[in-house]
């Protein structure tokens, strides 16, 4: 006969009377409208290299080009390096071709009547180094951080703010990176810091948590809204290259003027949803590299 202590009994569940009426929100927990993605499902943004298991993709690369994700984002990520490389190549070609074709179309529309006089190009003449940094560093990293990073399975209400900021800046002619360089980039950085700060604080400040939760719940119901909001903001931000003489005509023509960037943003958003944020950055950099190389060729021809 042993004298073992009795096995600890599992604690009885609290009775109904013991349960508080409503669990008070703890100060440091952030309400999560949807559970975080499974650790083996979606690697975090900073994980550039997926694990071997994640590199398998049973879909075909062609299926990843389907634009339906822009209407019904399904967040099915493909981590197959072969698919990513193939699709980025196809997307870059489509992207560049579309931007050129739609840019020509926009110029033709602007040439009609007095429409063009309402969009005076704001000319900048940066040095080659600054132009290279703008095209290959600022645009892919900055613009994609503001307009593609907030597109995610779990909505990020406050992270949409920097994208909205650059759209407002583009429309109002507020200092923009392409014209004012340092000042514009600094203001973009402030906008990103404010959005990110509010996003991080929403886990601690109750008012922000309430706003975040309410907007997130709405965004979960309409997942295509943040996608198209950011595509529109990205396009409107590029109005910075024009000084607009506002009129009804100007407002009606704006959708045509920004068509190339609507196209660019739509393709980059498909890539962001399918292949992740870094792939969208690479697509942006690849298209801008082609633009830069063409500029270099024309620059050299002008010297002859
Ligand atoms: Zn795939």
């Amino acid at each position: 006969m042993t004298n073992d202590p009795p096995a600890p009994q599992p604690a009885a569940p609290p009775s109904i009377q013991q349960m508080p009426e409503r669990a008070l929100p703890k100060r440091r927990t952030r309400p999560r409208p949807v559970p975080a993605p499974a650790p083996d499902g979606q690697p975090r943004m900073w994980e550039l290299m997926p694990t071997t298991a994640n590199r398998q993709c049973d879909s075909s690369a062609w299926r990843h080009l389907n634009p339906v994700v822009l209407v019904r984002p399904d967040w099915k990520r493909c981590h197959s390096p072969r698919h990513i490389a193939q699709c980025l190549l196809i997307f870059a070609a489509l992207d560049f071709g579309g931007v050129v074709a739609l840019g020509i179309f926009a110029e033709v529309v602007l040439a009609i009547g007095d429409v063009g006089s309402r969009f005076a190009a704001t000319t900048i003449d940066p040095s080659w180094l600054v132009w290279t940094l703008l095209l290959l560093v600022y645009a892919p990293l900055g613009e994609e951080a503001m307009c593609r990073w907030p597109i995610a399975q779990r909505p990020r209400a406050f992270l949409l703010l920097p994208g909205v900021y650059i759209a407002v800046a583009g429309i109002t002619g507020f200092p923009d990176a392409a014209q004012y360089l340092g000042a514009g980039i600094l203001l973009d950085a402030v906008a990103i810091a404010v959005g990110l700060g509010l996003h991080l604080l929403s886990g601690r400040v109750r008012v922000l948590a309430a706003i975040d939760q309410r907007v997130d719940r709405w965004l979960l119901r309409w997942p295509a809204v943040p996608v198209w909001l950011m595509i529109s903001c990205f396009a409107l931000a590029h109005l910075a290259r024009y000084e607009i003489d506002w009129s009804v005509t100007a407002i009606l023509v704006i959708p045509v003027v920004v068509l190339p960037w609507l196209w660019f943003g739509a393709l980059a958003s498909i890539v962001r949803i399918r292949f992740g944020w870094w792939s969208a950055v690479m697509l942006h950099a690849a298209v801008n590299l082609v633009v830069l190389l063409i500029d270099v060729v024309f620059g050299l021809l002008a010297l002859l």
Side-chain angles (χ1 to χ4, degrees):
M1 197 73 186
T2 52
N3 215 1
D4 282 347
Q9 293 291 315
S15 68
I16 301 288
Q17 286 81 7
Q18 280 174 305
M19 291 287 278
E21 269 201 350
R22 194 173 59 87
L24 286 170
K26 279 183 201 143
R27 215 157 168 257
R28 281 176 183 267
T29 51
R30 182 165 181 264
R32 300 277 181 214
V34 282
D40 58 341
Q42 299 224 358
R44 303 268 172 215
M45 167 208 164
W46 50 87
E47 283 170 22
L48 279 172
M49 297 307 290
T51 58
T52 319
N54 273 329
R55 293 184 200 183
Q56 311 292 332
C57 175
D58 44 13
S59 178
S60 78
W62 289 103
R63 279 202 185 169
H64 299 324
L65 307 177
N66 194 340
V68 169
V69 284
L70 295 177
V71 186
R72 283 193 300 274
D74 54 17
W75 311 112
K76 281 182 192 151
R77 279 278 291 272
C78 167
H79 303 291
S80 154
R82 197 165 52 89
H83 283 182
I84 295 175
Q86 285 173 342
C87 290
L88 280 186
L89 219 67
I90 297 167
F91 271 110
L94 283 174
D95 206 336
F96 182 75
V99 165
V100 170
L102 293 169
I104 292 169
F105 175 66
E107 287 301 322
V108 169
V109 171
L110 286 180
I112 298 169
D114 71 331
V115 177
S117 64
R118 306 210 166 270
F119 292 88
T122 46
T123 51
I124 51 162
D125 194 16
S127 67
W128 279 105
L129 175 70
V130 171
W131 187 227
T132 305
L133 289 175
L134 269 178
L135 279 178
L136 299 186
V137 181
Y138 164 78
L141 285 174
E143 292 182 348
E144 293 304 311
M146 291 184 274
C147 296
R148 241 68 69 186
W149 167 231
I151 304 173
Q153 185 168 17
R154 188 191 304 149
R156 297 158 171 178
F158 288 116
L159 293 185
L160 296 170
L161 289 177
V164 174
Y165 161 74
I166 58 164
V168 174
I171 294 167
T172 57
F174 206 62
D176 154 83
Q179 273 78 44
Y180 296 87
L181 305 172
I185 292 169
L186 186 74
L187 285 168
D188 285 352
V190 170
I192 293 175
V194 169
L196 197 62
L198 288 172
H199 176 71
L200 296 174
L201 280 174
S202 66
R204 292 159 183 250
V205 180
R206 223 176 267 195
V207 183
L208 294 177
I211 297 172
D212 192 49
Q213 203 178 14
R214 183 165 292 192
V215 180
D216 282 1
R217 211 180 295 146
W218 190 79
L219 292 177
L220 271 177
R221 210 180 310 153
W222 307 98
V225 168
V227 178
W228 284 97
L229 176 71
M230 288 298 102
I231 292 174
S232 311
C233 287
F234 174 74
L236 291 172
H238 288 82
L239 285 176
R241 59 178 64 200
Y242 300 104
E243 200 155 326
I244 305 169
D245 178 13
W246 289 100
S247 68
V248 177
T249 318
I251 293 169
L252 290 176
V253 169
I254 278 177
V256 178
V257 173
V258 300
L259 265 179
W261 296 287
L262 284 174
W263 173 256
F264 193 121
L267 292 185
S269 299
I270 299 175
V271 169
R272 197 277 183 254
I273 294 170
R274 270 289 166 269
F275 304 113
W277 185 73
W278 283 107
S279 297
V281 173
M282 280 190 276
L283 174 74
H284 202 141
V287 175
N288 281 7
L289 180 65
V290 178
V291 172
L292 182 68
L293 290 176
I294 290 172
D295 275 359
V296 169
V297 169
F298 274 92
L300 289 175
L301 285 177
L303 288 177
L304 293 177

